Amino acid sequence: MKKVFIKSGKTDALKRFHPWIFSGALSKEDPGITDGELVEVCAANGDFLAFGHYQDGSIKIRVLSFEPLTGDYGGFWLQRLQDAFQLRQTLGFGLDAATNAYRLVHAEGDQLPGLIIDIYDRTAVVQCHSIGMHRDLPWIREALLQVPGLTLEAIYDKSRETLPAGFAETVENRYIWQSSQGTSAIRENGHTFVVDWEKGQKTGFFLDQRDNRQLLARYAPGKTVLNAFSYSGGFSVYALAAGAQQVHSVDVSKQAIELTEQNVALLKDTDPGRHQAFAQDVFAFLKQSEPVYDIMVVDPPAFAKNLKKRHNAVQGYKRLNAAALEKIKPGGLLFTFSCSQVIDRQLFQDTLVAAALEAGRPVRILHQLNQGADHPVNIFHPEGAYLKGLVLYVG
Ligand code: SAH
């Protein structure tokens, strides 16, 4: 492994096990290191500190381990993936027939920065966010196939959308082991959803909302529900199955609305008249829609992908939530979310304060919500807690 050296005085974050090394912290590098290469990170005096993937840019090293590599790299990968699978088994995944879709690897949360692996029944969908992870795909594939207890029929690499521009153009999404028809009917808490990892958004399904959908089911019986930003209808299906009186799903993407309708149609014994889907912009829908709802779910895409966009994003969340609050019946509930990593929980809550003031509604917080436990947060990398949600009681 080639080496990079940390400036003396810049080792604090590393000593706290933060897995990112910024370019400004490096004093020198061995010549000829290429993007995605595995490098050893050393203190100014040459002591080993970590090893990780090198990539030119603001985050220059993504740390894979703070221990030296002993044995071969294949062994490292098998250990990491085995650890990840063991945690999911502890959480009940892989054993529970009611749920057969879960996140197996959540990047920094599994000490593998830049790597996401979602399991949809017997297909693993791999999404690399760094060049190093993409270069390591052969290792990842071999290790996935060796994890005891993990039974796979196909592995699909879907990294073209998430790799840095420039490199992304050189890769295609493709099966890296066997192949499948591209969709699967998965189960989540006993509900069936068709997941299309080839054509769908992200890896195909928003697994991170599983527990929050279950919470909605608790409140939905007999209620009118708006599921805004529905994607494939996760919240809609849970609400309908729980006996909601009426559910409206809204998403700007026609394809998402088709997926929603397809998933609602899989519900047994459900009167189709209870659900209506609208391929429309949520802001426009809220402006013109007549009805007021007992419960509203508002789960937009990340409004801010980086710090520069944070201010505009806050304004966006405020406007959206103020508009939503105006359409909720007195005594109703708002399930509201932000999946922007740069908007922390406190800022999100402050934004809801501003929205409540603007809408002139008294609001109480009932629940504080997170991503599911199969999306663990590395305690040394709090940025990993990206999904924030609040359930608000609107008086
Ligand atoms: N709640 C969903 C995930 C939502 S992802 C679930 O549980 O699966 C965000 C969705 O918002 C995407 O499907 C995207 O198509 C949609 N979207 C983005 N901008 C929108 C807008 N302005 N109006 C309506 N939908 C929008």
Side-chain angles (χ1 to χ4, degrees):
M1 269 186 231
K2 294 203 174 105
K3 291 182 178 173
V4 299
F5 296 84
I6 304 276
K7 289 177 186 161
S8 49
K10 290 276 185 189
T11 53
D12 284 6
L14 264 181
K15 297 246 162 83
R16 277 183 274 112
F17 302 111
H18 195 284
W20 297 344
I21 301 175
F22 290 93
S23 56
L26 297 182
S27 61
K28 61 177 173 155
E29 325 176 344
D30 283 348
I33 302 176
T34 56
D35 276 344
E37 203 170 319
L38 212 53
V39 292
E40 195 172 304
V41 182
C42 301
N45 66 3
D47 286 353
F48 172 92
L49 292 173
F51 72 84
H53 287 137
Y54 178 98
Q55 186 173 305
D56 205 12
S58 141
I59 302 174
K60 219 162 189 185
I61 314 285
R62 289 168 174 83
V63 172
L64 294 177
S65 176
F66 295 94
E67 306 281 328
L69 185 62
T70 52
D72 74 345
Y73 197 39
F76 163 83
W77 268 108
L78 183 56
Q79 189 61 53
R80 275 286 190 276
L81 295 189
Q82 248 176 291
D83 288 351
F85 186 59
Q86 194 181 12
L87 170 58
R88 275 49 178 198
Q89 285 194 304
T90 303
L91 296 172
F93 296 109
L95 307 167
D96 174 5
T99 301
N100 64 3
Y102 59 92
R103 179 153 291 188
L104 172 65
V105 171
H106 185 56
E108 287 83 357
D110 287 287
Q111 289 187 75
L112 292 169
L115 182 67
I116 298 291
I117 304 179
D118 286 341
I119 303 292
Y120 296 116
D121 191 9
R122 297 198 167 195
T123 298
V125 181
V126 181
Q127 196 156 59
C128 302
H129 292 248
S130 70
I131 297 171
M133 282 301 176
H134 203 260
R135 278 175 64 161
D136 278 355
L137 274 178
W139 296 104
I140 295 169
R141 179 187 55 208
E142 288 320 301
L144 270 175
L145 295 175
Q146 284 174 45
V147 173
L150 179 65
T151 312
L152 293 177
E153 286 170 3
I155 306 176
Y156 186 67
D157 167 33
K158 194 180 186 187
S159 305
R160 198 174 151 92
E161 291 81 7
T162 51
L163 285 165
F167 184 78
E169 279 94 77
T170 67
V171 307
E172 291 297 337
N173 294 334
R174 67 196 169 98
Y175 288 90
I176 55 172
W177 187 67
Q178 301 197 160
S179 70
S180 78
Q181 60 200 18
T183 64
S184 174
I186 60 109
R187 283 185 308 281
E188 185 184 273
N189 290 320
H191 305 295
T192 305
F193 292 94
V194 172
V195 175
D196 182 336
W197 47 86
E198 290 184 23
K199 294 195 223 73
Q201 297 183 25
K202 305 280 171 97
T203 67
F205 193 67
F206 289 86
L207 295 162
D208 52 359
Q209 290 285 21
R210 185 189 308 107
D211 298 348
N212 305 328
R213 294 182 189 124
Q214 192 78 307
L215 184 66
L216 174 67
R218 207 209 279 178
Y219 292 109
K223 297 291 197 276
T224 57
V225 178
L226 175 69
N227 180 12
F229 307 93
S230 66
Y231 183 52
S232 55
F235 284 101
S236 306
V237 165
Y238 277 66
L240 287 163
Q245 186 197 109
Q246 178 79 48
V247 175
H248 288 169
S249 305
V250 182
D251 198 290
V252 75
S253 147
K254 257 213 185 96
Q255 193 207 5
I257 289 300
E258 278 163 22
L259 288 171
T260 296
E261 281 174 334
Q262 189 179 8
N263 287 325
V264 167
L266 294 173
L267 279 168
K268 290 187 193 82
D269 312 324
T270 296
D271 167 13
R274 287 199 294 140
H275 180 253
Q276 246 183 302
F278 304 85
Q280 219 179 319
D281 171 72
V282 164
F283 289 90
F285 182 88
L286 288 173
K287 216 174 257 170
Q288 55 156 66
S289 85
E290 277 299 316
V292 287
Y293 297 92
D294 294 312
I295 304 179
M296 215 181 260
V297 179
V298 175
D299 182 27
F303 284 170
K305 294 257 161 65
N306 56 52
L307 279 174
K308 278 189 230 132
K309 300 269 165 59
R310 187 159 65 182
H311 178 72
N312 287 348
V314 167
Q315 297 308 314
Y317 286 118
K318 184 178 123 187
R319 200 157 61 87
L320 174 62
N321 283 285
L325 285 167
E326 284 166 16
K327 296 279 173 173
I328 294 180
K329 283 186 196 159
L333 299 177
L334 173 62
F335 283 64
T336 184
F337 298 94
S338 162
C339 59
S340 303
Q341 202 172 61
V342 294
I343 308 259
D344 66 21
R345 192 166 286 282
Q346 189 58 49
L347 180 56
F348 185 53
Q349 193 169 311
D350 293 346
T351 307
L352 265 300
V353 172
L357 288 171
E358 192 173 303
R361 301 292 296 269
V363 162
R364 279 181 271 177
I365 298 173
L366 303 187
H367 300 273
Q368 313 241 14
L369 307 179
N370 304 298
Q371 63 223 43
D374 52 337
H375 297 56
V377 181
N378 175 347
I379 204 161
F380 304 116
H381 177 260
E383 299 92 328
Y386 68 99
L387 184 63
K388 283 115 327 203
L390 292 169
V391 181
L392 304 178
Y393 179 83
V394 187

